[in-house]
Amino acid sequence: MSIGEIAERFGLATHVLRHWEAMGLITPARVGGARRRYGPDDLYRVAVILRGKEAGFSLEEIHEMTATSDAAKRRAVLLRRREELARRIAEAQASLELIDCALDCDHEDLPGCPHFQARVTERIPSVITP
């Protein structure tokens, strides 16, 4: 497969694939010394990169995980991303609960609703004393 074919298949610009190659994320074969040729392993590798990006990993993190055989390094990257993802999920869940609370409110003045006030008050940090 040519760079144009693989780019089209994944909906990517060709310069993205070139950038990933420069970073060492993919290593397509070369035909005639210059033309890139992508095979089934490359398709899988591009899919891994895209899934990693969808999970919030940076390209550097993806490279770190896929280029190492050190399980401890890979685990450290995964744990960092897991913690960040869990935090984002908790924030999204709290936002969803606030929206559901507002949707269930029949008060004309939403900020005056005791249930809505209780949800918003949860967001006010407590006083920090030195």
Side-chain angles (χ1 to χ4, degrees), residues 82-100:
R82 187 189 189 291
E83 289 169 3
E84 172 63 19
L85 186 55
R87 182 191 61 76
R88 288 180 24 219
I89 289 170
E91 288 174 353
Q93 186 62 44
S95 296
L96 183 60
E97 290 170 5
L98 181 64
I99 290 169
D100 286 343

PDB file of all heavy atoms in Angstrom, residues 82-100:
ATOM      1  N   ARG A  82      -4.111   6.380  33.005  1.00  0.00           N
ATOM      2  CA  ARG A  82      -5.307   5.877  33.674  1.00  0.00           C
ATOM      3  C   ARG A  82      -5.795   6.847  34.727  1.00  0.00           C
ATOM      4  O   ARG A  82      -6.990   7.127  34.842  1.00  0.00           O
ATOM      5  CB  ARG A  82      -5.025   4.513  34.313  1.00  0.00           C
ATOM      6  CG  ARG A  82      -6.296   3.886  34.868  1.00  0.00           C
ATOM      7  CD  ARG A  82      -6.029   2.639  35.691  1.00  0.00           C
ATOM      8  NE  ARG A  82      -7.261   1.973  36.018  1.00  0.00           N
ATOM      9  CZ  ARG A  82      -8.191   2.448  36.849  1.00  0.00           C
ATOM     10  NH1 ARG A  82      -8.034   3.622  37.419  1.00  0.00           N
ATOM     11  NH2 ARG A  82      -9.290   1.765  37.084  1.00  0.00           N
ATOM     12  N   GLU A  83      -4.871   7.396  35.506  1.00  0.00           N
ATOM     13  CA  GLU A  83      -5.242   8.369  36.543  1.00  0.00           C
ATOM     14  C   GLU A  83      -5.874   9.609  35.917  1.00  0.00           C
ATOM     15  O   GLU A  83      -6.884  10.119  36.411  1.00  0.00           O
ATOM     16  CB  GLU A  83      -4.023   8.751  37.372  1.00  0.00           C
ATOM     17  CG  GLU A  83      -3.540   7.637  38.279  1.00  0.00           C
ATOM     18  CD  GLU A  83      -2.177   7.912  38.896  1.00  0.00           C
ATOM     19  OE1 GLU A  83      -1.607   9.005  38.682  1.00  0.00           O
ATOM     20  OE2 GLU A  83      -1.668   7.005  39.595  1.00  0.00           O
ATOM     21  N   GLU A  84      -5.284  10.083  34.829  1.00  0.00           N
ATOM     22  CA  GLU A  84      -5.821  11.258  34.143  1.00  0.00           C
ATOM     23  C   GLU A  84      -7.204  10.956  33.564  1.00  0.00           C
ATOM     24  O   GLU A  84      -8.123  11.765  33.673  1.00  0.00           O
ATOM     25  CB  GLU A  84      -4.872  11.703  33.030  1.00  0.00           C
ATOM     26  CG  GLU A  84      -5.403  12.786  32.135  1.00  0.00           C
ATOM     27  CD  GLU A  84      -5.684  14.108  32.830  1.00  0.00           C
ATOM     28  OE1 GLU A  84      -5.146  14.340  33.938  1.00  0.00           O
ATOM     29  OE2 GLU A  84      -6.454  14.919  32.279  1.00  0.00           O
ATOM     30  N   LEU A  85      -7.359   9.799  32.975  1.00  0.00           N
ATOM     31  CA  LEU A  85      -8.642   9.419  32.397  1.00  0.00           C
ATOM     32  C   LEU A  85      -9.710   9.262  33.484  1.00  0.00           C
ATOM     33  O   LEU A  85     -10.847   9.706  33.317  1.00  0.00           O
ATOM     34  CB  LEU A  85      -8.493   8.122  31.594  1.00  0.00           C
ATOM     35  CG  LEU A  85      -9.701   7.653  30.801  1.00  0.00           C
ATOM     36  CD1 LEU A  85     -10.203   8.727  29.850  1.00  0.00           C
ATOM     37  CD2 LEU A  85      -9.361   6.380  30.046  1.00  0.00           C
ATOM     38  N   ALA A  86      -9.353   8.660  34.606  1.00  0.00           N
ATOM     39  CA  ALA A  86     -10.305   8.517  35.722  1.00  0.00           C
ATOM     40  C   ALA A  86     -10.744   9.884  36.230  1.00  0.00           C
ATOM     41  O   ALA A  86     -11.926  10.101  36.534  1.00  0.00           O
ATOM     42  CB  ALA A  86      -9.674   7.697  36.844  1.00  0.00           C
ATOM     43  N   ARG A  87      -9.802  10.847  36.287  1.00  0.00           N
ATOM     44  CA  ARG A  87     -10.139  12.203  36.725  1.00  0.00           C
ATOM     45  C   ARG A  87     -11.110  12.847  35.733  1.00  0.00           C
ATOM     46  O   ARG A  87     -12.114  13.440  36.126  1.00  0.00           O
ATOM     47  CB  ARG A  87      -8.870  13.045  36.854  1.00  0.00           C
ATOM     48  CG  ARG A  87      -9.137  14.471  37.364  1.00  0.00           C
ATOM     49  CD  ARG A  87      -7.924  15.361  37.221  1.00  0.00           C
ATOM     50  NE  ARG A  87      -7.482  15.532  35.848  1.00  0.00           N
ATOM     51  CZ  ARG A  87      -8.086  16.311  34.938  1.00  0.00           C
ATOM     52  NH1 ARG A  87      -9.166  16.972  35.257  1.00  0.00           N
ATOM     53  NH2 ARG A  87      -7.605  16.403  33.720  1.00  0.00           N
ATOM     54  N   ARG A  88     -10.829  12.703  34.429  1.00  0.00           N
ATOM     55  CA  ARG A  88     -11.701  13.291  33.415  1.00  0.00           C
ATOM     56  C   ARG A  88     -13.087  12.660  33.433  1.00  0.00           C
ATOM     57  O   ARG A  88     -14.102  13.336  33.244  1.00  0.00           O
ATOM     58  CB  ARG A  88     -11.064  13.145  32.030  1.00  0.00           C
ATOM     59  CG  ARG A  88      -9.881  14.068  31.842  1.00  0.00           C
ATOM     60  CD  ARG A  88      -9.188  13.983  30.498  1.00  0.00           C
ATOM     61  NE  ARG A  88      -9.966  13.500  29.391  1.00  0.00           N
ATOM     62  CZ  ARG A  88      -9.497  12.694  28.445  1.00  0.00           C
ATOM     63  NH1 ARG A  88      -8.254  12.278  28.479  1.00  0.00           N
ATOM     64  NH2 ARG A  88     -10.264  12.301  27.458  1.00  0.00           N
ATOM     65  N   ILE A  89     -13.154  11.348  33.663  1.00  0.00           N
ATOM     66  CA  ILE A  89     -14.447  10.659  33.746  1.00  0.00           C
ATOM     67  C   ILE A  89     -15.237  11.172  34.943  1.00  0.00           C
ATOM     68  O   ILE A  89     -16.443  11.421  34.841  1.00  0.00           O
ATOM     69  CB  ILE A  89     -14.255   9.131  33.804  1.00  0.00           C
ATOM     70  CG1 ILE A  89     -13.774   8.616  32.447  1.00  0.00           C
ATOM     71  CG2 ILE A  89     -15.536   8.430  34.241  1.00  0.00           C
ATOM     72  CD1 ILE A  89     -13.314   7.165  32.458  1.00  0.00           C
ATOM     73  N   ALA A  90     -14.571  11.340  36.084  1.00  0.00           N
ATOM     74  CA  ALA A  90     -15.245  11.856  37.285  1.00  0.00           C
ATOM     75  C   ALA A  90     -15.787  13.263  37.034  1.00  0.00           C
ATOM     76  O   ALA A  90     -16.921  13.586  37.442  1.00  0.00           O
ATOM     77  CB  ALA A  90     -14.288  11.845  38.471  1.00  0.00           C
ATOM     78  N   GLU A  91     -14.998  14.095  36.363  1.00  0.00           N
ATOM     79  CA  GLU A  91     -15.457  15.450  36.044  1.00  0.00           C
ATOM     80  C   GLU A  91     -16.657  15.408  35.097  1.00  0.00           C
ATOM     81  O   GLU A  91     -17.623  16.149  35.276  1.00  0.00           O
ATOM     82  CB  GLU A  91     -14.332  16.269  35.417  1.00  0.00           C
ATOM     83  CG  GLU A  91     -13.254  16.654  36.403  1.00  0.00           C
ATOM     84  CD  GLU A  91     -12.067  17.344  35.743  1.00  0.00           C
ATOM     85  OE1 GLU A  91     -12.012  17.418  34.479  1.00  0.00           O
ATOM     86  OE2 GLU A  91     -11.182  17.792  36.478  1.00  0.00           O
ATOM     87  N   ALA A  92     -16.596  14.542  34.096  1.00  0.00           N
ATOM     88  CA  ALA A  92     -17.705  14.422  33.154  1.00  0.00           C
ATOM     89  C   ALA A  92     -18.960  13.889  33.853  1.00  0.00           C
ATOM     90  O   ALA A  92     -20.071  14.353  33.591  1.00  0.00           O
ATOM     91  CB  ALA A  92     -17.316  13.513  31.985  1.00  0.00           C
ATOM     92  N   GLN A  93     -18.782  12.940  34.765  1.00  0.00           N
ATOM     93  CA  GLN A  93     -19.923  12.396  35.512  1.00  0.00           C
ATOM     94  C   GLN A  93     -20.561  13.476  36.386  1.00  0.00           C
ATOM     95  O   GLN A  93     -21.784  13.587  36.439  1.00  0.00           O
ATOM     96  CB  GLN A  93     -19.482  11.208  36.376  1.00  0.00           C
ATOM     97  CG  GLN A  93     -20.632  10.505  37.073  1.00  0.00           C
ATOM     98  CD  GLN A  93     -21.624   9.890  36.112  1.00  0.00           C
ATOM     99  OE1 GLN A  93     -21.247   9.270  35.135  1.00  0.00           O
ATOM    100  NE2 GLN A  93     -22.903  10.057  36.379  1.00  0.00           N
ATOM    101  N   ALA A  94     -19.734  14.292  37.040  1.00  0.00           N
ATOM    102  CA  ALA A  94     -20.263  15.383  37.866  1.00  0.00           C
ATOM    103  C   ALA A  94     -21.015  16.386  36.998  1.00  0.00           C
ATOM    104  O   ALA A  94     -22.075  16.892  37.393  1.00  0.00           O
ATOM    105  CB  ALA A  94     -19.125  16.059  38.624  1.00  0.00           C
ATOM    106  N   SER A  95     -20.497  16.663  35.810  1.00  0.00           N
ATOM    107  CA  SER A  95     -21.172  17.582  34.888  1.00  0.00           C
ATOM    108  C   SER A  95     -22.509  17.006  34.442  1.00  0.00           C
ATOM    109  O   SER A  95     -23.513  17.720  34.381  1.00  0.00           O
ATOM    110  CB  SER A  95     -20.291  17.859  33.674  1.00  0.00           C
ATOM    111  OG  SER A  95     -19.117  18.516  34.061  1.00  0.00           O
ATOM    112  N   LEU A  96     -22.531  15.728  34.138  1.00  0.00           N
ATOM    113  CA  LEU A  96     -23.767  15.069  33.727  1.00  0.00           C
ATOM    114  C   LEU A  96     -24.807  15.113  34.842  1.00  0.00           C
ATOM    115  O   LEU A  96     -25.987  15.393  34.601  1.00  0.00           O
ATOM    116  CB  LEU A  96     -23.473  13.624  33.315  1.00  0.00           C
ATOM    117  CG  LEU A  96     -24.641  12.803  32.797  1.00  0.00           C
ATOM    118  CD1 LEU A  96     -25.252  13.445  31.553  1.00  0.00           C
ATOM    119  CD2 LEU A  96     -24.186  11.386  32.497  1.00  0.00           C
ATOM    120  N   GLU A  97     -24.376  14.879  36.064  1.00  0.00           N
ATOM    121  CA  GLU A  97     -25.289  14.931  37.204  1.00  0.00           C
ATOM    122  C   GLU A  97     -25.853  16.336  37.401  1.00  0.00           C
ATOM    123  O   GLU A  97     -27.038  16.506  37.713  1.00  0.00           O
ATOM    124  CB  GLU A  97     -24.588  14.429  38.464  1.00  0.00           C
ATOM    125  CG  GLU A  97     -24.312  12.940  38.435  1.00  0.00           C
ATOM    126  CD  GLU A  97     -23.402  12.469  39.563  1.00  0.00           C
ATOM    127  OE1 GLU A  97     -23.047  13.273  40.450  1.00  0.00           O
ATOM    128  OE2 GLU A  97     -23.033  11.278  39.536  1.00  0.00           O
ATOM    129  N   LEU A  98     -25.030  17.365  37.207  1.00  0.00           N
ATOM    130  CA  LEU A  98     -25.499  18.740  37.332  1.00  0.00           C
ATOM    131  C   LEU A  98     -26.525  19.054  36.244  1.00  0.00           C
ATOM    132  O   LEU A  98     -27.563  19.659  36.515  1.00  0.00           O
ATOM    133  CB  LEU A  98     -24.321  19.718  37.250  1.00  0.00           C
ATOM    134  CG  LEU A  98     -24.680  21.193  37.399  1.00  0.00           C
ATOM    135  CD1 LEU A  98     -25.239  21.474  38.788  1.00  0.00           C
ATOM    136  CD2 LEU A  98     -23.464  22.058  37.138  1.00  0.00           C
ATOM    137  N   ILE A  99     -26.257  18.615  35.029  1.00  0.00           N
ATOM    138  CA  ILE A  99     -27.204  18.834  33.929  1.00  0.00           C
ATOM    139  C   ILE A  99     -28.510  18.099  34.198  1.00  0.00           C
ATOM    140  O   ILE A  99     -29.602  18.644  34.017  1.00  0.00           O
ATOM    141  CB  ILE A  99     -26.580  18.409  32.592  1.00  0.00           C
ATOM    142  CG1 ILE A  99     -25.469  19.384  32.210  1.00  0.00           C
ATOM    143  CG2 ILE A  99     -27.632  18.314  31.483  1.00  0.00           C
ATOM    144  CD1 ILE A  99     -24.606  18.921  31.060  1.00  0.00           C
ATOM    145  N   ASP A 100     -28.428  16.849  34.663  1.00  0.00           N
ATOM    146  CA  ASP A 100     -29.642  16.091  34.987  1.00  0.00           C
ATOM    147  C   ASP A 100     -30.434  16.775  36.092  1.00  0.00           C
ATOM    148  O   ASP A 100     -31.665  16.832  36.047  1.00  0.00           O
ATOM    149  CB  ASP A 100     -29.295  14.658  35.392  1.00  0.00           C
ATOM    150  CG  ASP A 100     -28.887  13.800  34.204  1.00  0.00           C
ATOM    151  OD1 ASP A 100     -29.178  14.191  33.049  1.00  0.00           O
ATOM    152  OD2 ASP A 100     -28.267  12.745  34.436  1.00  0.00           O
TER     153      ASP A 100
END
